[in-house]
Amino acid sequence: MSALAWDCAACGHHNDAGAVCDACGVAKRYLDDPPLDLPYPPHLTELPAFYLALLWSLATLLGLVLLAEPAWRTALGLGPAFLALEAASALGAAWTSWSEAFWRLSFNEARLEVPDTVKSGEDFEAVLTLVPYRPLRNVHAEFRLVDNFYQHDASGGGVETRSRSLGRVLALVGEPLTGRRAHVLHAGFLAPFPATKHTDIVAEVMASLLAAFGWLVPGLTFTARNLRQHGGYFVSATVRVGWLRRTYKRRVIAYFVGADLFVG
């Protein structure tokens, strides 16, 4: 029997060779790696991010028009500094909204999984699962293990957030992904010893003060939440397809049991 012979799983016909079944015409590659039973990708108009992108794009355009027309700006009583800030903020919001919409059109699923806890000095694995709706080209994927910690400033009156990279793995470098299939990427890291400061009372107080004024300036609420959740070891997976870029993060708790218990 030829090494190229194969039996068609669709109709049972025995083929001596070839990439397509002689009886039913089904491709051998399709049978070896069948596509997942996924829904069709959503239409752009079905995504809330699309309408937010339009809204913020119009807000950006309006700000630029008013900046270019001093008479209209004066009639509305708006200063150029305010309009410049409004246009820049709206442009950033429009960019993130368009990115979200087109990402949802490209991927049915993108999931990062890491262990909840790891023992210092032991290896652990991060797993990223990507399921695109359609074939994608020039895909880049990178894993990082990052230590986010707190450090008091030189004056001793405040706290600063710091980060350092503990490991980096390139999983994809300009490679294609097949549509409607699950692509599983793995990265191994060594669990660190919890030696840095992942909690700080000054940071908690500062976050509470910022959150108290969140009703007046919504951005302060976001800043306060990030300040509270900054400390810890995180595995991040960054995926880039053309101009689209998305980073997924998961916290992992490292511990060491000796004369004392160290947790970070």
Side-chain angles (χ1 to χ4, degrees), residues 109-118 124-129 142-148 164 166-167 185 187 189 192 198 229-238 246-254 264:
E109 182 182 8
R111 183 179 71 255
L112 175 63
E113 297 173 294
V114 299
D116 293 329
T117 59
V118 291
F124 71 96
E125 188 176 60
V127 180
L128 177 66
T129 303
E142 176 187 82
F143 292 86
R144 284 184 181 271
L145 176 61
V146 179
D147 179 16
N148 292 336
R164 60 172 181 164
L166 302 179
L185 309 177
F189 295 102
H198 291 160
Q229 298 178 357
H230 173 80
Y233 297 112
F234 288 86
V235 175
S236 67
T238 300
R246 181 65 60 88
T247 298
Y248 299 89
K249 294 183 178 181
R250 288 289 304 273
R251 184 194 298 268
V252 57
I253 297 175

Side-chain angles (χ1 to χ4, degrees), residues 4 37 43 82 119 134 138 140 151 182 246:
L4 299 178
D37 185 17
H43 294 289
F82 172 81
K119 186 176 180 180
R134 55 184 175 81
N138 197 28
H140 299 259
Q151 178 177 292
R246 181 65 60 88

Side-chain angles (χ1 to χ4, degrees), residues 61-73 76 78 83:
L61 180 61
L62 178 61
L64 294 176
V65 169
L66 292 176
L67 274 174
E69 293 291 341
W72 295 358
R73 190 172 68 235
L76 293 173
L78 300 175
L83 288 173

Side-chain angles (χ1 to χ4, degrees), residues 49-97:
F50 169 70
Y51 297 99
L52 287 174
L54 289 180
L55 175 65
W56 288 116
S57 297
L58 290 174
T60 304
L61 180 61
L62 178 61
L64 294 176
V65 169
L66 292 176
L67 274 174
E69 293 291 341
W72 295 358
R73 190 172 68 235
T74 303
L76 293 173
L78 300 175
F82 172 81
L83 288 173
L85 179 62
E86 181 275 336
S89 301
L91 179 61
W95 175 265
T96 56
S97 298

Side-chain angles (χ1 to χ4, degrees), residues 151-160 200 202 206:
Q151 178 177 292
H152 287 274
D153 58 27
S155 64
V159 65
E160 299 175 341
D200 190 275
V202 176
M206 290 176 61

Side-chain angles (χ1 to χ4, degrees), residues 7 9 21 32 34 54 69 82 84 92 99 103 107 128 149 157 174 176 178 185 222 238 241 246 256-257 263:
D7 294 325
C21 177
D32 292 340
L54 289 180
E69 293 291 341
F82 172 81
S99 297
W103 188 269
F107 286 93
L128 177 66
F149 58 97
T178 307
L185 309 177
F222 179 79
T238 300
V241 185
R246 181 65 60 88
F256 178 80
V257 181
V263 179

